[in-house]
Amino acid sequence: MVPTMNRRNMLHALAALMGAGMLKVPSVAAAAQELVITTYGGSWEKFWRDSMIPAFTEASGEAVRLDIGLGRTYTTNLRAAGKENPPYGVLMTNEIYSTVLRKEGFFEKLDLEKVPNYADLYPIATRAADGWAAVGLISPIGIGYRTDMVETPPTKWTDLWDNPEFKGRIGLYNIVNSAGKMFLMLTSKIYGSGITDLDTGFARLAELGQVVQTDFNMSTAMATGEIVVAPFDFGEIARLRNQGLPVDCIIPEEGLMMWDQTFNICVNQPTRDAAYKYLDFVLSPAGQTLLMEEFLVSPVNRKVEVPESLARDVPVSGAAMEQFIDWDWDLMNANAEEIARRWNETFGA
């Protein structure tokens, strides 16, 4: 008997074929022969090709293939390929995306015997994923400000509301960026009953008045003086300062936000042993030192000490790693459209 295909199945089949081709999903055949890992474009791709991959291959003897994208495209690619044929061996993306994909069954719970460096991680690197993944990069976000345009430097997040010097000159990441979502939860935590008290959070955000929003690039607005204060990545502030711009960044009294990069091992992929070797290398002192020196991120391995030469550029380490706030990405993902609508009503799209 020849099986028949109804219209619905035909559309699904075509979508799968077109999705894999049009979205440039790495081929299953290639994935079957070599470990496929992910990173972002630009300086990230260059670093992985020039430093991270050669160091990993030298340490492990494993060859890898790099796939360049963003969290949104990785999510689409994984869904198009399906859990039985994942296009990646190890997926690096923000925890806000990892949370969704983990629930959909795309990742395996870690065999920690294959990741000896996991035991040396700060709790902030393991807490959110609870044994299913590890945060390999943390870019702390504090309050950045122009030292030449502010008489009273900020010390806490509430200064954004209370310091009249900042009125009309505040920068914020928009709600598309995870930093925008963190700032909403942070405001809800500071002024309300907790990070889920979004009604209070939105009410207090409205009191900020006019703000300058951006998706990624806060540096341009800070460099031109359009803004004088904003949630800012310490590494980016260090780069601006090292270029001669009068800026600084502080650890607020209420705690830190962060951009995280979570490393997940995909289920049903044929390079599992190599994937574990790669994950363990990223988390090792050697891998963490490479990342710290390149991106000025906070090392997640407790055995890594920040050298004196980087102490000002990488100020969040050791005991300060306890100052990160835990976020509720399930809440943000489950209510994404409504939260975006309310944010845009508050600040404008």
Side-chain angles (χ1 to χ4, degrees):
M1 181 178 176
V2 178
T4 59
M5 181 174 285
N6 62 30
R7 183 174 181 274
R8 181 179 181 182
N9 290 339
M10 177 69 79
L11 290 174
H12 283 179
L14 287 172
L17 289 170
M18 293 177 66
M22 295 176 68
L23 297 170
K24 299 181 180 179
V25 175
S27 70
V28 174
Q33 298 171 6
E34 58 188 343
L35 172 65
V36 180
I37 62 175
T38 65
T39 192
Y40 308 118
S43 61
W44 291 72
E45 178 181 1
K46 187 176 188 307
F47 166 75
W48 250 262
R49 293 195 189 283
D50 293 349
S51 301
M52 181 61 85
I53 291 176
F56 168 64
T57 298
E58 182 178 357
S60 67
E62 300 286 350
V64 301
R65 188 157 69 87
L66 194 61
D67 190 71
I68 308 302
L70 295 170
R72 297 159 197 165
T73 54
Y74 295 143
T75 299
T76 303
N77 289 348
L78 277 170
R79 288 171 174 166
K83 285 179 282 190
E84 298 304 317
N85 300 294
Y88 314 115
V90 180
L91 179 71
M92 179 188 82
T93 189
N94 304 120
E95 181 60 21
I96 190 171
Y97 293 106
S98 296
T99 298
V100 174
L101 293 169
R102 192 176 301 131
K103 283 192 170 184
E104 294 179 8
F106 285 99
F107 307 136
E108 70 170 62
K109 190 160 189 177
L110 297 181
D111 179 351
L112 297 184
E113 291 187 359
K114 294 180 177 293
V115 196
N117 283 297
Y118 190 92
D120 295 323
L121 302 182
Y122 288 104
I124 188 62
T126 61
R127 197 157 50 218
D130 191 27
W132 286 81
V135 176
L137 278 86
I138 288 180
S139 300
I141 299 174
I143 303 177
Y145 66 100
R146 285 284 298 257
T147 57
D148 62 332
M149 299 177 71
V150 168
E151 291 186 7
T152 305
T155 60
K156 50 189 179 299
W157 290 110
T158 53
D159 288 337
L160 299 184
W161 282 263
D162 299 337
N163 187 335
E165 291 184 79
F166 301 158
K167 200 70 175 178
R169 300 195 295 173
I170 296 172
L172 289 183
Y173 286 96
N174 65 26
I175 198 62
V176 175
N177 193 299
S178 61
K181 296 178 177 69
M182 281 185 278
F183 193 72
L184 168 60
M185 289 187 278
L186 172 71
T187 305
S188 304
K189 179 178 186 292
I190 292 173
Y191 291 109
S193 59
I195 61 174
T196 62
D197 187 0
L198 302 186
D199 288 340
T200 300
F202 275 116
R204 295 307 300 245
L205 286 178
E207 296 176 10
L208 287 176
Q210 182 179 351
V211 302
V212 175
Q213 294 186 74
T214 183
D215 191 356
F216 288 108
N217 185 5
M218 190 70 78
S219 297
T220 299
M222 185 69 92
T224 60
E226 185 179 9
I227 61 171
V228 299
V229 65
F232 236 104
D233 170 5
F234 279 82
E236 186 59 22
I237 282 288
R239 281 183 279 275
L240 293 174
R241 184 173 56 228
N242 294 336
Q243 292 169 8
L245 195 71
V247 292
D248 205 349
C249 198
I250 60 101
I251 300 176
E253 294 177 5
E254 304 96 330
L256 289 162
M257 306 196 302
M258 68 175 184
W259 279 311
D260 51 27
Q261 299 299 334
T262 301
F263 288 73
N264 308 273
I265 292 185
C266 295
V267 294
N268 301 319
Q269 46 102 3
T271 54
R272 187 170 180 267
D273 287 343
Y276 272 100
K277 289 180 184 178
Y278 174 66
L279 173 60
D280 195 51
F281 181 78
V282 168
L283 303 179
S284 71
Q288 287 297 300
T289 298
L290 286 174
L291 291 165
M292 174 181 64
E293 292 176 345
E294 177 67 18
F295 297 112
L296 303 178
V297 295
S298 294
V300 299
N301 190 314
R302 287 175 296 192
K303 291 183 176 179
V304 180
E305 292 188 9
V306 179
E308 185 62 32
S309 60
L310 290 177
R312 189 180 185 195
D313 294 343
V314 187
V316 182
S317 65
M321 296 294 281
E322 297 296 323
Q323 298 191 43
F324 291 104
I325 299 168
D326 293 327
W327 308 106
D328 190 339
W329 295 122
D330 288 333
L331 174 69
M332 292 293 107
N333 287 323
N335 301 280
E337 291 187 9
E338 174 65 10
I339 289 170
R341 181 189 65 77
R342 295 182 68 181
W343 178 281
N344 291 332
E345 285 179 354
T346 302
F347 294 122

